[in-house]
Amino acid sequence: MLSLENLSDKQNMLLTQLSYESDVLKGVYEGMTLYEIAEVVPDNGTKELILDLCHAGLGSLRIKDVEHDYASGFGAIAFTDQSGNTGFSYRGTDGLSWKSLNDWVDNLSTMITGTSIQTTQAEAFFDKNRDVSGNNYLYGHSKGGELSESVFVNNYSHIKGVHLLNPQPINPYALSADQLAAIRSDKVDIVIVERDY
């Protein structure tokens, strides 16, 4: 039975990418498994990622909720496994285009103040969808990694693991001593890949 508790590094890193499809999956595919989505999603980049996730053994994950806010740039997907665990994949910055201007403004705000519109949205999305028993896992790449870090340090006891790919660093000067200890804990898994902005 698939459990977020026992995924491979490859599976965890694929889940950091799921949130980049929040604009496509919002409002249409909630409640469906990745296998079911692969059968009906249009043949494009989204289908390719969903098939990659299925081929990696993640097809039974069920989409619980999807949020995509064009105004702020925030995107996230909540999903559940067959064991009742809940995962959250937070979307990173969408490259260097006019579409991502709000992401870059939010990145700057987070670096300077330690908070932003998107960090508030990430917290609200987690609160809305979290497993109340504490069986929650966070995933994120780049800006999505920073959003995962922010949610994690504020909800440490309710999160079992955090898997990040090239995360934007969280502002350490905005953290309490307990939050700094949390971000340095064994619950956090960070993978760094070269040549990724």
Side-chain angles (χ1 to χ4, degrees):
M1 181 181 316
L2 178 65
S3 173
L4 297 177
E5 188 173 11
N6 302 314
L7 298 184
S8 69
D9 289 342
K10 179 182 177 182
Q11 290 171 317
N12 284 325
M13 291 307 100
L14 278 169
L15 288 172
T16 69
Q17 302 303 297
L18 179 60
S19 58
Y20 286 101
E21 305 306 326
S22 61
D23 53 339
V24 174
L25 299 180
K26 181 176 172 53
V28 180
Y29 300 100
E30 286 97 336
M32 296 175 71
T33 67
L34 296 181
Y35 285 131
E36 293 167 337
I37 294 170
E39 294 291 321
V40 297
V41 72
D43 196 11
N44 57 23
T46 301
K47 185 172 190 114
E48 184 178 325
L49 175 63
I50 299 300
L51 287 172
D52 286 347
L53 289 159
C54 290
H55 291 142
L58 298 169
S60 63
L61 293 177
R62 185 171 302 279
I63 301 298
K64 182 176 183 179
D65 192 15
V66 181
E67 183 64 41
H68 189 84
D69 183 348
Y70 288 98
S72 71
F74 176 75
I77 297 177
F79 49 91
T80 56
D81 66 17
Q82 296 168 309
S83 302
N85 299 308
T86 301
F88 296 83
S89 183
Y90 289 102
R91 188 178 184 123
T93 303
D94 287 319
L96 298 171
S97 70
W98 66 269
K99 275 184 10 176
S100 64
L101 180 61
N102 289 336
D103 283 333
W104 289 105
V105 170
D106 199 86
N107 288 341
L108 185 61
S109 173
T110 303
M111 284 189 290
I112 294 170
T113 67
T115 189
S116 69
I117 293 169
Q118 286 193 32
T119 56
T120 301
Q121 290 174 296
E123 283 282 344
F125 188 75
F126 178 78
D127 288 343
K128 176 183 172 188
N129 292 291
R130 71 185 177 97
D131 174 70
V132 294
S133 300
N135 299 314
N136 300 293
Y137 295 82
L138 306 177
Y139 303 86
H141 165 249
S142 188
K143 174 66 178 174
E146 182 272 321
L147 295 174
S148 294
E149 292 168 327
S150 180
V151 170
F152 176 64
V153 298
N154 291 317
N155 299 278
Y156 178 80
S157 62
H158 302 288
I159 296 168
K160 286 193 169 179
V162 184
H163 303 282
L164 309 174
L165 175 62
N166 289 7
Q168 172 186 324
I170 193 168
N171 182 338
Y173 302 107
L175 300 179
S176 69
D178 288 343
Q179 290 173 321
L180 278 170
I183 207 69
R184 294 176 179 142
S185 75
D186 290 341
K187 289 184 181 184
V188 180
D189 174 38
I190 299 175
V191 173
I192 303 297
V193 177
E194 291 185 28
R195 296 190 203 124
D196 176 22
Y197 68 87

